Amino acid sequence: MQLPQAIERVLLDEAAIQRRVTELAAYIDAEYADAGQLVLVGVLKGAFIFMADLTRRLTVPHTVDFIALSSYNKSTTRSGEVRLIMDTRTALVQRHVVVVEDIVDSGHTLEYLIRNLAARQPASLRTCALLSKPDRREVDVAIDYLGFEIPDVWVVGYGLDYADRYRTLPYIAELKRAVYSS
Ligand code: IMP
Ligand code: MG
């Protein structure tokens, strides 16, 4: 396989990702079988591909919605203060909400989301993230459905980007350190 020049190595190939997404969907299916009013809230842009695969594997009735966040001082890698730039269309009051994130790094984004969404008085609120970098955590956040733990490296592909590039790679790959540490 020909890898883009900026890629160090593939961490998770397409088959491994798909297997795990199927498992996560099965957990969610089982736990929300009788809940009703389930809405998945995907976090743009990073979670859009994960969200598309996850939602199509769920058999429990649900709707999808999206939220977009941005961090100050962040054009490429590390996150700063979080800012809401697009809200959900759905009112979340009395709904069972699962937030769908691409990756939890410091945890600040997810913490912000939990606080923001909990204030809308949903019937329940849980979190789902494809990836987590536990070594980078600055705030303790609960991830109820987690795909994979990965080391402290910058990853791209399957929706994740570096300066808006590499989102459509079908695998999750580690970027060469020289690309993001300069
Ligand atoms: P946190 O607030 O530090 O947990 O950062 C979370 C956000 O930073 C994620 O939603 C991603 O948008 C971005 N992020 C963190 N690590 C990576 C990475 O390795 N690749 C791509 N995006 C990342
Ligand atoms: Mg993100």
Side-chain angles (χ1 to χ4, degrees):
M1 180 168 53
Q2 182 70 37
L3 298 178
Q5 232 244 302
I7 299 301
E8 180 70 38
R9 69 192 168 109
V10 174
L11 278 184
L12 299 161
D13 66 18
E14 218 176 329
I17 297 168
Q18 294 305 327
R19 270 197 306 276
R20 190 62 184 144
V21 174
T22 300
E23 288 174 359
L24 293 176
Y27 298 144
I28 295 172
D29 264 344
E31 294 193 1
Y32 291 87
D34 305 311
Q37 298 283 311
L38 172 63
V39 54
L40 301 190
V41 176
V43 184
L44 296 174
K45 300 180 229 175
F48 82 112
I49 292 180
F50 176 39
M51 179 78 157
D53 283 346
L54 186 67
T55 186
R56 288 178 295 170
R57 279 180 179 73
L58 287 179
T59 61
V60 69
H62 68 284
T63 58
V64 297
D65 207 329
F66 293 92
I67 205 163
L69 302 174
S70 175
S71 302
Y72 291 110
N73 313 322
K74 187 178 91 167
S75 58
T76 50
T77 54
R78 300 311 187 197
S79 43
E81 194 181 326
V82 182
R83 175 166 59 123
L84 181 69
I85 55 178
M86 188 195 89
D87 205 351
T88 58
R89 293 189 173 212
T90 333
L92 301 179
V93 60
Q94 305 273 306
R95 309 286 298 271
H96 292 282
V97 176
V98 176
V99 182
V100 179
E101 252 285 37
D102 52 355
I103 185 164
V104 182
D105 185 33
S106 70
H108 288 295
T109 304
L110 195 57
E111 190 202 34
Y112 170 90
L113 272 171
I114 292 168
R115 221 179 328 113
N116 184 298
L117 299 179
R120 307 176 193 195
Q121 298 173 321
S124 68
L125 177 60
R126 283 187 182 152
T127 58
C128 173
L130 181 66
L131 305 171
S132 170
K133 294 184 204 174
D135 297 345
R136 296 259 316 151
R137 203 71 89 248
E138 290 171 12
V139 286
D140 199 23
V141 284
I143 306 174
D144 299 298
Y145 306 100
L146 174 64
F148 305 92
E149 288 194 341
I150 60 164
D152 178 13
V153 294
W154 195 263
V155 290
V156 295
Y158 197 68
L160 292 100
D161 73 306
Y162 176 74
D164 251 336
R165 296 190 61 195
Y166 311 111
R167 287 192 200 276
T168 56
L169 295 175
Y171 46 80
I172 290 168
E174 175 181 345
L175 208 62
K176 284 183 180 155
R177 209 166 273 274
V179 175
Y180 65 91
S181 63
S182 51

